[in-house]
Amino acid sequence: MSPAIPVERLVDALRRADLLADTRGALPAQVAGVTDDSRHVSDGVLFLAVRGADRDGHAFVPGAEASGAALVAVEDATAGAGPALVVRDSRRAAAILAAAYFDTPASALTLIGVTGTNGKTTTVGMLRHLLDSPDARCASIGTLGVLIGSEGRPLDGGGGLTTPGPVELQRVLRALVDEGVGTVAIETSSHALHQRRVEGLAFRAGVFTNLTRDHLDYHRTMEEYLAAKSLLIDLLTDDGVAVVNANDRAWEMLPAAPRMVQFGLGAGSDVRAEDVAYADRGSAWTLVLGAERHSIRLPLIGDFNVSNALGAAATAWALGAPGSRIAERLSEMPQVPGRLEIISES
């Protein structure tokens, strides 16, 4: 059962984000849940009317009120007739209100956002392995769902999207905090960034894997696609780091970040692979982390997995993980479910 929380907490969150335009009617003292799906409305909940790419949630406000919604959040003050929080931007407000309802779970977490056309799923899985320990658990959220620890223990949720919607994302973050997780690597899609699903989150690191032609049915041009990806820079903490694939020149157009670490297969990157030798069961190479050098035997095949491993290693290194620990964990990397795997001996 969802907890009941004071409506004043929601109002305060909107005011701090400068998103509260007005209120309508006598606001209830509390709400017993939050949803942006009118099919999930029950007595006492807050319904978030979000303007989406295909549908406008304002059309469902009357039905939500008829189903028992105690309060609605709307951008259009004429939608519905009951008590309402009138907001300036329904997409941003949905994320802020969801975070407030679940008591801002991200404040207890170190967040890593991973964006790019390819490599997101593998990179968050690698980060979950590199940064996990018995006393400091790491989780990942993405295409494969919600997974905890190097062993990838599943946790219900995620909503079937690469990056969950704002309500589901905040619910999952709260569940992860309650599970004792301290670090979360999140696949952060261009759609999620453009639709403000991750509004209000503060990322200690943002990883940029690569950028190739994709999703132009949604973003229309490569310039708009890059602009959506670039929004992750705006969500970095004041000391946050952009971890950038130096082998993809598209990222040269990224805005400035508080810090930047480059990874790649060529000379000059802060984190790089040298003397790479590929075999049927993986690769062997030297991992360069600034002035450090470590021998790696990565049990994942393909040059793309070397690049993904470099991105994960650069992120862990930028966040303070010891180089020796990174090298050890890379050489023990488990297979990523659903991705190209080596065939183990029987």
Side-chain angles (χ1 to χ4, degrees):
M1 180 178 294
S2 298
I5 67 139
V7 166
E8 192 58 33
R9 183 197 294 179
L10 305 174
V11 172
D12 287 346
L14 289 176
R15 284 179 176 146
R16 287 195 300 272
D18 195 26
L19 288 170
L20 184 65
D22 201 356
T23 62
R24 184 181 71 202
L27 301 185
Q30 61 184 26
V31 293
V34 60
T35 183
D36 53 4
D37 188 334
S38 61
R39 297 168 297 181
H40 297 161
V41 171
S42 58
D43 287 347
V45 308
L46 164 65
F47 174 65
L48 307 173
V50 180
R51 296 191 191 279
D54 300 317
R55 291 186 293 181
D56 187 346
H58 291 77
F60 300 95
V61 169
E65 291 178 335
S67 296
L71 182 64
V72 298
V74 294
E75 196 173 319
D76 178 358
T78 67
L85 302 171
V86 183
V87 300
R88 294 189 173 90
D89 183 324
S90 60
R91 287 181 173 180
R92 294 180 59 211
I96 296 299
L97 288 168
Y101 177 81
F102 289 105
D103 201 17
T104 57
S107 64
L109 295 166
T110 296
L111 298 181
I112 303 166
V114 179
T115 199
T117 306
N118 305 113
K120 296 187 297 296
T121 300
T122 299
T123 301
V124 298
M126 288 178 165
L127 283 165
R128 177 165 41 79
H129 174 68
L130 290 181
L131 298 175
D132 188 52
S133 67
D135 57 348
R137 302 314 308 267
C138 184
S140 62
I141 300 172
T143 303
L144 300 180
V146 184
L147 302 174
I148 299 176
S150 178
E151 71 277 16
R153 175 168 63 88
L155 183 74
D156 287 343
L161 298 173
T162 299
T163 312
V167 176
E168 177 63 2
L169 178 58
Q170 294 294 335
R171 187 199 68 77
V172 165
L173 293 177
R174 169 49 55 195
L176 290 173
V177 170
D178 293 345
E179 287 272 347
V181 169
T183 301
V184 184
I186 304 174
E187 288 189 54
T188 312
S189 69
S190 59
H191 291 73
L193 288 161
H194 183 258
Q195 294 169 10
R196 306 291 181 174
R197 295 182 214 159
V198 290
E199 183 76 19
L201 298 185
F203 293 89
R204 284 287 311 283
V207 187
F208 297 83
T209 62
N210 70 347
L211 193 76
T212 60
R213 294 184 67 84
D214 200 3
H215 302 305
L216 297 190
D217 56 330
Y218 181 88
H219 294 292
R220 297 184 298 182
T221 67
M222 285 297 292
E223 289 75 19
E224 290 184 16
Y225 186 30
L226 174 61
K229 296 290 191 186
S230 300
L231 292 172
L232 182 55
I233 295 287
D234 297 335
L235 299 176
L236 294 177
T237 59
D238 290 343
D239 62 346
V241 58
V243 181
V244 180
N245 182 357
N247 297 136
D248 194 323
R249 298 193 62 182
W251 300 133
E252 293 175 3
M253 301 302 294
L254 284 175
R259 290 193 293 146
M260 180 176 288
V261 169
Q262 291 189 323
F263 67 92
L265 294 173
S269 296
D270 305 296
V271 175
R272 60 189 182 274
E274 293 182 349
D275 304 320
V276 181
Y278 297 104
D280 291 341
R281 301 185 59 80
S283 58
W285 36 280
T286 298
L287 171 65
V288 180
L289 297 169
E292 300 179 47
R293 302 175 73 85
H294 301 273
S295 295
I296 304 295
R297 295 189 66 86
L298 183 71
L300 303 174
I301 63 174
D303 55 354
F304 54 91
N305 272 325
V306 174
S307 182
N308 293 332
L310 286 172
T315 305
W317 182 63
L319 294 178
S324 58
R325 167 73 171 173
I326 294 170
E328 176 186 1
R329 298 292 277 176
L330 281 178
S331 295
E332 301 170 348
M333 185 67 66
Q335 302 299 326
V336 178
R339 292 303 185 257
L340 188 61
E341 302 177 357
I342 61 174
I343 300 174
S344 61
E345 293 180 344
S346 58

